[in-house]
Amino acid sequence: MEKFTKLTGIAAPMPLVNIDTDMIIPKQFLKTIKRSGLGVNLFDEMRYDREGREIPDFVLNKPQYREAQILVAGDNFGCGSSREHAPWALLDFGIRAVISTSFADIFFNNCFKNGILPIVLPQDAVEVLMKDAEKGSNARMTVDLEAQSVTSSDGQVFHFEVDAFKKHCLLNGLDDIGLTMEKVTAIDAFEKKAATLRPWA
Amino acid sequence: MTAPRTLYDKIWDDHVVDRSEDGTCLLYIDRHLVHEVTSPQAFEGLRMSGRKVRAPEKTIAVPDHNVPTTAGRDKHIDNEESRIQVEALDKNANDFGINYYPVNDIRQGIVHIVGPEQGWTLPGMTVVCGDSHTATHGAFGALAHGIGTSEVEHVLATQTLIQKKSKNMKVEITGKLRPGVTAKDITLSVIGATGTAGGTGYVIEYCGEAIRDLSMEGRMTVCNMAIEGGARAGLIAPDEKTFEYVKGRPHAPKGAAWEAALAYWKTLYTDEGAHFDKVVTIKGEDIAPVVTWGTSPEDVLPITGSVPAPEDFTGGKVEAARRSLDYMGLTPGMKLTDIKIDAVFIGSCTNGRIEDLRAAAAILKGKKIAPGVRGMVVPGSGLVRAQAEEEGLAQIFIDAGFEWRLAGCSMCLAMNPDQLAPGERCASTSNRNFEGRQGFKGRTHLMSPAMAAAAAVTGHLTDVREMMTETV
Ligand code: SF4
């Protein structure tokens, strides 16, 4: 997994609430057996018309946001299905951080497994950053995971909370499975105990 | 003396393998369900790192999301990408030696219907699947939730999951339900009350008389949509009905093991005085048959209501409602019962079980689908399908003019050929009404099987209670 440390980039505003995983990556693109190449289909049904032409009004189609690396989004971003294709598509497009007041649980976890930082901030902070993002490509935001801060283009700093373990993994690009494998003795012991306590399981 | 614990606390405690100082836990997973769409990259990951499946005997796979629901699918699947995914699952199941129900097996079906049906899902277990509706299994008092593909790989390799404990939320449905009101109406009404983010950060325990009174099928319907309310999982304490349902299933314990299991299962309830971080109480008698009008499962209204206006909402929801109404092609103020439909879908892991088919068939018996409306029944599993045929339900559907399909997810997410055309409107028993969910620009109204059947007959959204008095 790619590390996430500090990022300064263009932020795209998506004020819509409840942006679900079907919007992020519609199901017709889940038929792949690979993780890569989903970026062109990110937000597919909002981004293209039936003939595959770009819809100019859609934020990521606007010239100033085509290189966006950060999304500022409405409440409850990523609700819906467990598809990890959603963070894969965001990542493939180039999005490395998403800022919202709240995220759906599974999506939130999936982001961390793919080097994307989901940032939860209070409503008023998100509103300020949403305005900032609306300024377009000259307004670059900085996300600093080490310092747990987001800095708007005009220097306002917002502090965010992040789970210590998730932060550690993301900062160092660590693979969860490898870390858990180191605890194999504990898993063995648990299985042994469970075999007597709950042998039917 | 230990402090009083919730059901969630108890299951959690019994599965912690390791706890770090910051509260991050390694949680042991008893059952891992796998399907073709969210697993290929996980198996690929195992291959690339030379890892094995740690507990193949606890891992169960079935193709469901992508499979066509028409005859001949065991010979050939037209869509090449779908075929590749199903073939990949065939191969992965075989290579890694996990339990498998291939497409030609009568036990094949939607993963969340197959698990309970085969007795893989048991009270007190931890159950995961690369699918958000894993919450369904909570109906058995199992801690069950959806995971992403990286976590699928993690569970395959280690039989554990890295988790932080959620908070406890209680949703109590008191008293009795009124006639015509079903489990689907309960679960939709709860989401209507709490919103799609109302459960975020929580595991919900559903309780109260109305929940106790539900069959296991109904309880599965309720827990299925816990995720639509944002919760990590939904739970219902196991009771005699649960044990009765589980007993004799192929993978349920037998003999002495059954007795031991039963003794343990009977300890699975929330202790008197246990703490809940959030409590929602709804009176059963206040719940009406409901439908959704918008593109979020929280857009719920009693069928007697009218389409709302964006101004009825506040904050970001104003814009979302405007977008929804535009997408759904609805005008504020119009009566919900005036909304005409083009299609009816009865099926999915929410409402594709035998009881659901019985409820729909009871309304449809001796009636015909309205002219111009297309109806589709997709049983949740091959076994549900067989039973419905035996009970004569299939014939009722066919006589009414419905298509009688093979088991799978079908038009719940429309990854297979079962899709709405742009602009088509569907009365659906599934769980998501997101934009494009049932087909590009398709319009979905969520409701119970009985309500969907009623809509099929009249050709517009209909209060099933009116039809019930007719039939009595
Ligand atoms: S029936 Fe629908 S919700 Fe259930 S597992 Fe299949 S696609 Fe998901």
Side-chain angles (χ1 to χ4, degrees), chain B residues 110 112-114 116-117 215-218 220-221 245 249 346-363 377-397 404 407 429 449-450:
Chain B
I110 304 168
H112 308 309
I113 292 192
V114 172
E117 203 168 68
S215 64
M216 286 313 294
E217 284 86 351
M220 284 188 255
T221 302
Y245 180 100
R249 304 245 159 211
I346 297 176
S348 86
C349 59
T350 318
N351 285 123
R353 284 169 287 267
I354 191 70
E355 187 185 271
D356 302 312
L357 302 190
R358 286 186 195 133
I363 300 293
V377 186
V378 183
S381 72
L383 290 172
V384 168
R385 185 171 197 271
Q387 190 177 347
E389 285 175 352
E390 208 179 288
E391 291 182 16
L393 308 178
Q395 203 53 49
I396 296 175
F397 288 119
W404 178 245
T429 67

Side-chain angles (χ1 to χ4, degrees), chain B residues 64-65 110-112 131 133 224 348-349 409 412-413 431 437:
Chain B
D64 57 359
H65 282 63
I110 304 168
V111 63
H112 308 309
D131 185 279
H133 293 97
N224 176 274
S348 86
C349 59
C409 294
C412 173
L413 92 163
N431 46 44
R437 174 77 178 181

Side-chain angles (χ1 to χ4, degrees), chain A residues 10-74:
Chain A
I10 299 166
M14 291 194 79
L16 194 63
V17 300
N18 295 332
I19 293 179
D20 58 65
T21 48
D22 284 67
M23 288 182 184
I24 299 173
I25 184 86
K27 69 255 169 174
Q28 59 269 34
F29 306 108
L30 309 189
K31 294 185 178 183
T32 173
I33 55 171
K34 300 200 295 277
R35 293 174 200 243
S36 53
L38 289 165
V40 285
N41 304 113
L42 177 71
F43 295 114
D44 196 86
E45 289 177 1
M46 300 163 100
R47 200 162 141 206
Y48 306 105
D49 67 14
R50 221 37 246 274
E51 277 71 51
R53 288 180 302 240
E54 285 190 0
I55 298 169
D57 276 356
F58 182 67
V59 61
L60 297 180
N61 288 336
K62 293 183 183 167
Q64 63 271 39
Y65 294 115
R66 300 182 83 93
E67 305 290 319
Q69 290 178 285
I70 302 166
L71 285 184
V72 186

Side-chain angles (χ1 to χ4, degrees), chain B residues 245-446:
Chain B
Y245 180 100
V246 167
K247 199 169 184 181
R249 304 245 159 211
H251 296 279
K254 314 224 154 40
W258 171 262
E259 294 307 324
L262 201 58
Y264 174 76
W265 295 343
K266 287 185 174 167
T267 67
L268 298 173
Y269 54 82
T270 292
D271 296 329
E272 192 70 35
H275 176 72
F276 283 96
D277 304 279
K278 185 171 178 177
V279 177
V280 173
T281 308
I282 296 177
K283 278 198 203 140
E285 61 181 31
D286 289 348
I287 302 176
V290 291
V291 294
T292 60
W293 54 268
T295 55
S296 166
E298 70 189 14
D299 299 338
V300 174
L301 280 175
I303 182 65
T304 47
S306 305
V307 175
E311 301 74 50
D312 298 344
F313 300 91
T314 53
K317 190 72 190 170
V318 178
E319 193 43 45
R322 190 168 292 129
R323 187 182 164 96
S324 280
L325 291 175
D326 179 52
Y327 181 88
M328 293 296 288
L330 297 174
T331 330
M334 84 185 273
K335 283 171 67 183
L336 291 172
T337 47
D338 286 341
I339 298 175
K340 290 206 168 56
I341 55 157
D342 307 297
V344 177
F345 171 69
I346 297 176
S348 86
C349 59
T350 318
N351 285 123
R353 284 169 287 267
I354 191 70
E355 187 185 271
D356 302 312
L357 302 190
R358 286 186 195 133
I363 300 293
L364 290 168
K365 191 162 189 194
K367 297 202 176 66
K368 289 258 181 275
I369 250 186
V373 176
R374 175 184 182 204
M376 196 190 279
V377 186
V378 183
S381 72
L383 290 172
V384 168
R385 185 171 197 271
Q387 190 177 347
E389 285 175 352
E390 208 179 288
E391 291 182 16
L393 308 178
Q395 203 53 49
I396 296 175
F397 288 119
I398 293 166
D399 290 345
F402 273 84
E403 296 168 32
W404 178 245
R405 300 292 196 110
L406 299 180
C409 294
S410 181
M411 213 205 270
C412 173
L413 92 163
M415 262 186 94
N416 74 352
D418 309 343
Q419 301 183 3
L420 294 178
E424 269 190 335
R425 189 183 296 284
C426 182
S428 178
T429 67
S430 55
N431 46 44
R432 285 196 176 131
N433 51 353
F434 296 159
E435 289 181 19
R437 174 77 178 181
Q438 296 193 291
F440 183 73
K441 298 277 178 214
R443 293 161 170 165
T444 303
H445 295 275
L446 302 175

Side-chain angles (χ1 to χ4, degrees), chain A residues 2 9 12 29 35 47 64-65 68 77 92 95 116 119 142 157 163 193:
Chain A
E2 212 180 315
F29 306 108
R35 293 174 200 243
R47 200 162 141 206
Q64 63 271 39
Y65 294 115
F77 187 85
D92 199 57
I95 303 290
I116 298 176
I119 299 169
T142 298
V157 180
D163 178 87
K193 196 179 73 186

Side-chain angles (χ1 to χ4, degrees), chain A residues 14 19 33 45 54 74 100 105 107 112-113 125 148 172 179 191:
Chain A
M14 291 194 79
I19 293 179
I33 55 171
E45 289 177 1
E54 285 190 0
S100 177
D105 190 44
F107 174 82
F112 282 98
K113 315 278 180 198
Q148 297 183 208
N172 298 289
L179 290 176
E191 279 183 343

